[in-house]
Amino acid sequence: MIDLHVHSTASDGACAPAEVVRRAAGAGLTVIALTDHDTLGGVDEATEVGRAEGVRVIAGCEFSVRAGWGEMHLLAYFLPPDDSAVMDFLEDQRAKRRTRAARMVAALGRLGVDLTVDEVLTEADGGAVGRPHVARVLVRRGHVDDVSAAFRRYIGWRRPAFVPKDLPAVEEVTALVARAGGVTSAAHLGDRATRRSIARLMGQGVDGIEARHPLHDGVRAEQIAQLAAEAGALCTGGTDWHGDPVGEPNRAPLGSIVVPQAWLEALEGLHRQRSDRGG
Ligand code: AMP
Ligand code: FE
Ligand code: FE
Ligand code: ZN
């Protein structure tokens, strides 16, 4: 059983990488891709624990990029841990995340909501900081009842303390990943997955489309897989697990979404081609 989209405390997940792997093993998974936002920081720990637990860990991450409609998430697989161009790029994205966290805290302060950048960075514990960390501090401080409410009231899209990311172009990230031998897939497109958008993304160097995801029901996942196949794109899928759901929308347990072995083999085939060519 394979899950190609999982998060840990290296970004905004609830479980440490080791714990993620143990939970994955418990759910019957034999392959996971650890795809934290803008970091490979959890991959070493997960890989090591995976060896003991019988879970193969694919080194991945989830980039945020600028699509025609706004922010899009782009999954990347088979990233070499020693590629300095990739590492530098990710470090830059994480630095921008810290700046953005400070801007969110300032915006919240203007709304009379008291919290500090330090509290948010402590919540992220050295990992890639994101809105969920801000949300958890807001809950702890008693400003909102739960994480969902924090997004709804303050930091969700179009809410008063929402701060957009400074996003790289799709082509910049696909070129970076492909040059390192990696493979990319456009994450949880939902209604944005159309013949036209998929063709455009492929023109921008995207290799695959995430068909199976908690945001897509079974019928939609099948439609997206079909659109991807017609466009000559690869297919991926996964739970996008961030920990046990606590009243958050579009969350699913580990093991509830799995991908066919053939999808992984196609990804590996492209990865091998790119590596053989020396990146
Ligand atoms: P960021 O990358 O900082 O913009 O944070 C985005 C992350 O916040 C996503 O990857 C999800 O993990 C989480 N998220 C987004 N929307 C919500 C929501 N409405 N409730 C809870 N978590 C959310
Ligand atoms: Fe996330
Ligand atoms: Fe995402
Ligand atoms: Zn994700």
Side-chain angles (χ1 to χ4, degrees):
M1 293 222 313
I2 304 164
D3 186 335
L4 296 177
H5 192 161
V6 177
H7 294 269
S8 76
T9 49
S11 64
D12 57 6
C15 298
E19 181 62 13
V20 169
V21 172
R22 284 192 283 269
R23 292 289 301 269
L29 293 162
T30 50
V31 183
I32 65 166
L34 190 66
T35 52
D36 275 305
H37 301 281
D38 293 328
T39 183
L40 290 162
V43 168
D44 282 352
E45 178 182 318
T47 304
E48 197 177 305
V49 175
R51 268 195 279 273
E53 295 281 340
V55 178
R56 174 182 166 207
V57 176
I58 295 169
C61 79
E62 186 171 15
F63 292 90
S64 299
V65 297
R66 189 173 61 249
W69 57 80
E71 181 172 333
M72 183 185 90
H73 288 178
L74 187 66
L75 295 159
Y77 300 109
F78 312 111
L79 290 170
D82 53 355
D83 186 281
S84 59
V86 172
M87 289 308 115
D88 290 352
F89 183 89
L90 290 175
E91 176 48 45
D92 193 41
Q93 297 311 114
R94 293 195 297 274
K96 286 179 179 167
R97 281 176 169 278
R98 290 190 291 272
T99 306
R100 173 171 172 254
R103 290 181 59 201
M104 278 190 266
V105 168
L108 286 162
R110 287 193 291 276
L111 296 167
V113 179
D114 184 40
L115 78 171
T116 66
V117 182
D118 266 0
E119 284 175 286
V120 175
L121 295 180
T122 300
E123 182 65 37
D125 195 22
V129 63
R131 284 182 290 164
H133 301 109
V134 175
R136 288 173 207 159
V137 173
L138 290 175
V139 174
R140 186 151 350 95
R141 283 287 204 113
H143 294 301
V144 289
D145 288 341
D146 54 34
V147 163
S148 277
F151 277 83
R152 261 194 330 270
R153 263 180 81 179
Y154 294 117
I155 57 176
W157 170 237
R158 287 186 168 150
R159 302 313 301 155
F162 176 80
V163 178
K165 287 181 188 143
D166 174 16
L167 296 165
V170 177
E171 296 94 325
E172 186 182 352
V173 176
T174 55
L176 178 82
V177 171
R179 201 204 37 77
V183 175
T184 52
S185 179
H188 45 72
L189 288 176
D191 296 339
R192 307 280 191 192
T194 61
R195 208 163 262 118
R196 197 186 151 96
S197 71
I198 292 173
R200 173 150 186 224
L201 289 169
M202 291 190 68
Q204 293 169 316
V206 174
D207 303 307
I209 307 293
E210 186 177 53
R212 298 190 187 171
H213 184 278
L215 191 66
H216 310 150
D217 66 24
V219 173
R220 185 68 186 137
E222 194 48 51
Q223 281 170 351
I224 295 177
Q226 186 68 38
L227 287 171
E230 282 168 21
L234 302 181
C235 265
T236 68
T239 51
D240 201 355
W241 197 69
H242 283 72
D244 292 324
V246 266
E248 290 170 30
N250 303 317
R251 296 292 195 216
L254 282 172
S256 65
I257 289 177
V258 297
V259 311
Q261 180 79 28
W263 290 8
L264 175 57
E265 281 166 10
L267 294 170
E268 286 172 318
L270 185 54
H271 163 52
R272 226 173 294 117
Q273 259 180 46
R274 286 186 176 149
S275 310
D276 290 348
R277 276 198 227 115

